[in-house]
Amino acid sequence: MMETHMQTGTTRRGSNPRLESADLVGIDIPPTPPSEARPGAKQAASFLSLIVPFLFASSSHAPSSGAAAPGSSSSTVATAFVIGSWYFSNIGVLLLNKYLLSIYGYRYPVFLTALHMASCSAYSAVALRWLCLVPFQPVSSRRQLFKIAALGAIFCFSVVCGNASLRFLPVSFNQAIGATTPFFTAIFALAITCRREPAAVYVALLPVVLGIVLASNSEPLFHPLGFLLCLGSTSGRALKSVVQGILLTSDSEKLNSMNLLMHMAPIAAAILLPFSLWTEPGVVPATAAKIRDDPYLALLLFANATVAYLVNLTNFLVTKHTSALTLQVLGNAKAAVAALVSVLIFRNPVTVMGVTGFGITIIGVVLYSEATKRSKSSSSSS
């Protein structure tokens, strides 16, 4: 969306507590700590938890030993439902973006992203202020607001580039490029924070780069502009995670993912709307005319904007029910699943070398994740 994507990616998690980020395709928000770890979480009443209690019940209440708890089966069902919803929303926003921008012929990626941001603003306000999904965290100072605005600008760049790239590239190749997010994260972390990782971490990045080189050279539908836009989206996603680790570090300024989205989405919408009117002249009357001619477009835009928000909500719920590491593993698998589903739906041609390159990239991401996890464990023990 958001980055969908506005949404999607395999940014490393757990390698550095200051560089945590969530994976979107469209919308990229850091993971949220469990509700019991947040001040005031127990005092917040959730209307939604009364309707669907198993989704927002904390897993920490389950017994740690002995016989299975009576609610363990419902907890398992809830976790499976949340993970399924996460896959559906992440892949769904990609496919909807691709269909709208490439197949349907809606040529306004910036305006589409602005709609995503407006949708996230509205849904976030309902989720936090009315449903009390998580405790509301207000902006505490102008300094914090400025930092959120800076993140919002990077966020806009990443999501717009990601959505625009879908006009020119198949989803499968888009996901292959997006899988290189850890490479850019490591580069930006080194350049901005001067933090060096162990040599094993950088060695693990070699298959990531090699895979995408192979996939690019053998991609039948390769488009230079689309490739550059997708690289911009991927690097923007990585830059946001690094900058966020620098800007929002103090306890008074840290925001969970849902609150950060609620404060950042309106700023992003305010940036994108005038930019859309400038770069996409006549977008509003053109959209209105298209809807008059084909009311189905209104349903597509509404569904697309709603699913863009669901990407962030399910990111939050997966982290709450499992862990940030589980979300990272799911993200690695999601890229492959999204690529497969897109090929089955859109029938875009693929080559053996392209599939091999994508596979090497995914393997490199997994190796990178393991290397960073071992690096963190050794640092903690020492």
Side-chain angles (χ1 to χ4, degrees):
M1 62 264 43
M2 289 215 270
E3 328 232 7
T4 22
H5 140 53
M6 118 110 353
Q7 74 224 286
T8 142
T10 50
T11 306
R12 65 185 172 123
R13 298 180 198 286
S15 59
N16 186 340
R18 298 184 63 198
L19 301 179
E20 295 279 325
S21 67
D23 182 5
L24 60 15
V25 163
I27 297 178
D28 187 49
I29 299 294
T32 303
S35 57
E36 63 273 11
R38 297 190 300 270
K42 296 183 182 297
Q43 285 74 24
S46 173
F47 173 76
L48 195 57
S49 67
L50 299 178
I51 301 176
V52 195
F54 65 86
L55 278 181
F56 301 96
S58 175
S59 58
S60 63
H61 297 301
S64 58
S65 61
S72 60
S73 60
S74 63
S75 176
T76 302
V77 171
T79 301
F81 175 78
V82 166
I83 291 175
S85 300
W86 181 85
Y87 269 104
F88 171 80
S89 59
N90 275 269
I91 296 175
V93 76
L94 272 171
L95 299 180
L96 280 171
N97 284 344
K98 176 63 177 177
Y99 177 77
L100 279 167
L101 295 170
S102 182
I103 308 301
Y104 187 89
Y106 188 77
R107 309 294 189 186
Y108 307 109
V110 180
F111 186 72
L112 182 65
T113 309
L115 291 180
H116 288 186
M117 296 300 101
S119 169
C120 288
S121 301
Y123 283 125
S124 295
V126 172
L128 271 68
R129 303 303 294 269
W130 183 48
L131 300 179
C132 300
L133 181 60
V134 296
F136 172 67
Q137 296 174 287
V139 175
S140 58
S141 64
R142 290 185 178 180
R143 177 184 176 85
Q144 186 186 25
L145 180 62
F146 175 78
K147 292 178 178 180
I148 294 173
L151 290 175
I154 301 173
F155 181 56
C156 289
F157 172 79
S158 175
V159 177
V160 168
C161 285
N163 287 340
S165 71
L166 291 172
R167 285 186 57 187
F168 309 102
L169 300 178
V171 173
S172 54
F173 189 45
N174 174 280
Q175 289 297 284
I177 299 172
T180 62
T181 301
F183 170 78
F184 290 101
T185 302
I187 296 300
F188 283 129
L190 178 62
I192 297 176
T193 68
C194 297
R195 183 184 186 278
R196 294 183 179 273
E197 298 283 0
V201 174
Y202 295 112
V203 170
L205 288 172
L206 294 179
V208 175
V209 179
L210 174 62
I212 199 60
V213 170
L214 292 176
S216 300
N217 287 335
S218 58
E219 172 57 44
L221 300 179
F222 181 86
H223 192 286
L225 178 57
F227 179 74
L228 291 176
L229 286 170
C230 199
L231 280 183
S233 174
T234 305
S235 59
R237 199 160 47 236
L239 178 61
K240 177 181 171 293
S241 69
V242 174
V243 172
Q244 184 170 316
I246 298 171
L247 295 183
L248 301 180
T249 54
S250 66
D251 291 338
S252 62
E253 292 183 337
K254 285 182 179 177
L255 298 171
N256 63 44
S257 62
M258 300 301 289
N259 276 276
L260 179 58
L261 177 64
M262 187 184 70
H263 295 308
M264 192 168 58
I267 296 174
I271 294 173
L272 289 172
L273 184 57
F275 185 69
S276 171
L277 297 177
W278 177 50
T279 59
E280 300 168 334
V283 58
V284 175
T287 301
K290 284 178 177 291
I291 291 176
R292 282 194 301 269
D293 295 337
D294 182 12
Y296 180 59
L297 176 61
L299 178 61
L300 283 175
L301 293 176
F302 174 77
N304 185 244
T306 300
V307 175
Y309 172 74
L310 291 179
V311 169
N312 296 278
L313 177 61
T314 53
N315 276 346
F316 168 78
L317 290 176
V318 167
T319 305
K320 179 181 177 67
H321 279 260
T322 57
S323 66
L325 179 60
T326 301
L327 187 63
Q328 178 183 357
V329 174
L330 291 174
N332 294 339
K334 186 266 297 180
V337 173
L340 176 61
V341 171
S342 71
V343 170
L344 293 176
I345 292 177
F346 298 114
R347 304 290 183 179
N348 55 282
V350 294
T351 63
V352 174
M353 187 61 70
V355 173
T356 302
F358 192 8
I360 292 174
T361 295
I362 295 297
I363 291 172
V365 171
V366 173
L367 293 175
Y368 173 82
S369 301
E370 290 299 317
T372 52
K373 185 169 64 174
R374 286 195 299 269
S375 172
K376 181 184 177 183
S377 299
S378 62
S379 299
S380 300
S381 60
S382 62

